[in-house]
Amino acid sequence: MKITKSPLVQTDFFVLNCNYNFIEPTEESTNITETFSNYKIDFDFAHKLQDNGQIYIFVKVEINNIKNALPGYKMFIEGVSIFEINEAKIVAQKQKDDLINISGLSIAINNLRSYIDNITMYNPLGKYTLPVIDLGALYKEKNKKIKKNKSIN
């Protein structure tokens, strides 16, 4: 099947900050798959439109980054995915917004996921993969946070 290229073009991805720690399991019977699924994950994101038309999507994830962290991996990672939109292929503002908010954020998350896969794959417990994220729930939570911050100010 022939592909149609998206008007959204990723031009780069950078890791801006990373803090990674390995926490050795204390018991041999530790089920690491179960432990991974119990990690507390905190995620945040932001979009920024640059004057030159580039779109920056910043993503931040904290995995198991708590005081009494579970065995395995403890991580804090910030990254930015940089995009451009081929305006000639855009028909409506809603299409542009969807490209940024859905496709762009999904790509930015996958960039982060690949980075996490790579930094954990050579460790004693093997690769940790960031779970699939429900974008609808993520945006709902983000909107609640924005409204709460506006009501405080």
Side-chain angles (χ1 to χ4, degrees):
M1 197 176 343
K2 184 178 177 184
I3 67 162
T4 302
K5 291 184 180 179
S6 171
L8 184 68
V9 178
Q10 181 178 345
T11 59
D12 235 322
F13 169 72
F14 300 108
V15 174
L16 304 174
N17 190 359
C18 177
N19 187 349
Y20 162 87
N21 292 295
F22 176 74
I23 303 165
E24 187 173 344
T26 55
E27 301 175 15
E28 284 188 37
S29 62
T30 300
N31 179 335
I32 202 60
T33 304
E34 186 178 313
T35 301
F36 283 174
S37 68
N38 289 323
Y39 281 173
K40 181 181 182 300
I41 301 171
D42 185 39
F43 185 87
D44 202 1
F45 66 95
H47 305 99
K48 184 175 182 187
L49 180 60
Q50 300 295 102
D51 290 338
N52 63 3
Q54 289 184 320
I55 300 130
Y56 285 26
I57 300 180
F58 295 91
V59 288
K60 175 195 83 159
V61 67
E62 291 185 73
I63 301 166
N64 197 32
N65 199 14
I66 55 178
K67 185 176 182 177
N68 295 319
L70 297 171
Y73 309 119
K74 182 176 179 178
M75 294 176 261
F76 172 86
I77 303 161
E78 292 176 310
V80 60
S81 294
I82 302 170
F83 298 94
E84 293 176 352
I85 293 182
N86 182 341
E87 298 287 344
K89 294 184 178 182
I90 299 293
V91 291
Q93 182 63 39
K94 171 140 177 47
Q95 182 184 11
K96 185 176 179 178
D97 292 344
D98 286 349
L99 282 170
I100 295 167
N101 296 325
I102 298 169
S103 298
L105 182 56
S106 293
I107 293 166
I109 291 168
N110 282 330
N111 288 333
L112 208 56
R113 182 177 286 116
S114 294
Y115 181 77
I116 292 167
D117 284 354
N118 285 329
I119 64 172
T120 59
M121 72 178 14
Y122 300 108
N123 291 287
L125 301 178
K127 179 174 75 170
Y128 173 80
T129 299
L130 184 67
V132 175
I133 297 172
D134 179 338
L135 289 184
L138 189 65
Y139 272 103
K140 187 176 180 180
E141 189 66 29
K142 181 76 169 181
N143 287 334
K144 273 198 239 178
K145 187 177 178 181
I146 291 169
K147 285 179 186 176
K148 183 180 176 184
N149 287 342
K150 283 183 180 179
S151 68
I152 292 172
N153 296 331

